Amino acid sequence: MPKVWLITILCLLLLAMSGSAQTISDKNGRQIDTSTPFKRIISLYGAHTENLFALELDSEIIGVSVNDTYPRQVSNKPKFSYHDDPERFLAARPDLVLVRPMIDNGYPGFIRQLERYGIKVVSLQPATVNEMYDYWLALGKLTGKYSAAQRLVAGFQKKIATIKDLTKSLVGPPKKVYFQSIHHRMKTFTPGAMPIFALETAGGINVAKDARASRKTNIAVYGKERILAKAGQIDVFLAQKGIMNPVNIEMILSEPGFGIIKAIKNQQVFLIDENIVSRPVPRLYQGIVTIGQLLYPDLFSQVCSERKL
């Protein structure tokens, strides 16, 4: 092969590699060119909104979801919903609308209409912590805040390392925990899900390691029989609380059959805000520390104060 062709092929390969570095793929397989940062963004998922603010964006965020309450700056932003007429989005002139797969798959007509208007739609939602890091970096690429995203990842990982060092000093056997996701359906989280990562990082043992995903989500139907079969092992009964699981401690304590659970007998039943354990946001660290304080109050309370965890 002539030398000139070899040089040409090499140049094409280098261009392709350079282009791929500026392209991300979303959950629906869309290929998005990130060489020019998006500057007028509407977020239709609370985690996207929280992460955009964490990346030091503000004026670029021209709209947020109707359900967004955090951070406090969302109160100053126009509220949007996937139930709105797409014409409302067109009037706002966004160059990017961030959604998650539930919206992308559940409301295809709405998505098609936005794309017909020439609005770029990107669907993102990580399922694991490693995917969360990639997701933060993807948001950084989309918005021209890649360095800020790298700092966000590095800072979070450093905090996680500190927590893991702390739990190495635990005295006695680690607490075994059943982590409820949805009470009325007797559901828990699958191994690898972010709430389970939070639990295990805080030094807890997940008693439902045999849980299997329902409908390709991180939620698993576990069933009362399986919970009660492990009643004597459950040191702590932990439940997320929020829109997804509007539960209270009384409901758990009074659940028929639950009286034989070790945690129920010992009044070791706790609720935790779903927003700090189930979302791929920096506040997941807050969820980890909160769980640690519930499981090992002496260790975490003292050290959290000293180290400002």
Side-chain angles (χ1 to χ4, degrees):
M1 181 181 292
K3 185 176 180 180
V4 66
W5 281 106
L6 287 172
I7 295 173
T8 301
I9 292 171
L10 179 60
C11 289
L12 289 172
L13 286 172
L14 289 172
L15 284 172
M17 291 172 64
S18 174
S20 64
Q22 294 179 326
T23 301
I24 67 167
S25 178
D26 79 351
K27 285 289 187 179
N28 203 34
R30 299 181 184 90
Q31 298 298 307
I32 303 97
D33 180 9
T34 64
S35 57
T36 301
F38 292 95
K39 294 296 184 182
R40 295 184 60 79
I41 305 165
I42 294 177
S43 165
L44 294 183
Y45 173 40
H48 295 331
T49 302
E50 185 169 339
N51 288 319
L52 291 175
F53 279 107
L55 293 177
E56 304 163 4
L57 295 162
D58 192 336
S59 61
E60 297 89 346
I61 306 167
I62 65 167
V64 299
S65 166
V66 291
N67 297 316
D68 287 358
T69 59
Y70 186 90
R72 59 179 176 75
Q73 294 97 310
V74 300
S75 61
N76 301 320
K77 300 293 181 179
K79 299 297 181 72
F80 289 82
S81 167
Y82 46 87
H83 296 297
D84 291 341
D85 189 320
E87 293 282 351
R88 183 164 182 259
F89 286 78
L90 181 63
R93 298 182 294 108
D95 56 8
L96 174 65
V97 174
L98 287 170
V99 301
R100 56 175 169 161
M102 183 276 288
I103 301 172
D104 203 8
N105 300 330
Y107 300 86
F110 167 75
I111 299 297
R112 283 196 299 269
Q113 191 65 36
L114 293 183
E115 293 178 326
R116 207 171 286 134
Y117 287 149
I119 299 171
K120 184 66 69 176
V121 176
V122 176
S123 175
L124 299 169
Q125 187 173 23
T128 66
V129 169
N130 285 335
E131 288 182 11
M132 180 180 76
Y133 299 143
D134 291 337
Y135 158 62
W136 288 351
L137 294 174
L139 288 177
K141 285 186 176 182
L142 287 167
T143 60
K145 293 286 187 176
Y146 192 69
S147 294
Q150 288 178 309
R151 290 194 296 272
L152 192 64
V153 171
F156 187 88
Q157 291 176 332
K158 183 178 180 180
K159 290 178 179 179
I160 296 305
T162 300
I163 293 291
K164 289 182 176 180
D165 285 341
L166 172 62
T167 57
K168 289 177 182 177
S169 63
L170 284 172
V171 176
K175 300 286 183 69
K176 294 180 179 178
V177 182
Y178 176 75
F179 203 154
Q180 180 189 88
S181 60
I182 302 176
H183 181 75
H184 75 280
R185 301 287 298 277
M186 295 295 151
K187 290 185 176 183
T188 186
F189 299 99
T190 57
M194 269 170 279
I196 300 302
F197 169 83
L199 169 64
E200 293 176 341
T201 301
I205 301 295
N206 175 27
V207 301
K209 290 183 178 179
D210 54 340
R212 295 294 174 264
S214 303
R215 300 179 181 178
K216 298 181 180 180
T217 69
N218 65 352
I219 302 296
V221 176
Y222 207 64
K224 185 180 290 187
E225 288 186 8
R226 295 173 74 185
I227 297 172
L228 297 182
K230 298 182 178 181
Q233 303 175 37
I234 302 173
D235 299 311
V236 175
F237 193 109
L238 185 62
Q240 69 166 353
K241 178 179 174 60
I243 294 174
M244 189 174 178
N245 191 36
V247 71
N248 57 54
I249 289 179
E250 290 70 26
M251 291 170 61
I252 296 171
L253 295 176
S254 62
E255 180 67 33
F258 272 21
I260 68 170
I261 297 174
K262 180 180 177 182
I264 303 292
K265 293 179 180 179
N266 295 334
Q267 298 184 354
Q268 292 295 296
V269 180
F270 304 105
L271 306 179
I272 187 166
D273 182 0
E274 66 184 32
N275 290 313
I276 61 173
V277 291
S278 292
R279 285 188 169 184
V281 296
R283 281 193 297 166
L284 180 60
Y285 171 73
Q286 181 183 337
I288 294 168
V289 172
T290 301
I291 293 173
Q293 291 172 325
L294 294 173
L295 301 185
Y296 314 107
D298 292 340
L299 176 67
F300 270 80
S301 296
Q302 178 182 349
V303 179
C304 286
S305 176
E306 292 174 355
R307 301 186 187 181
K308 298 181 180 180
L309 295 180

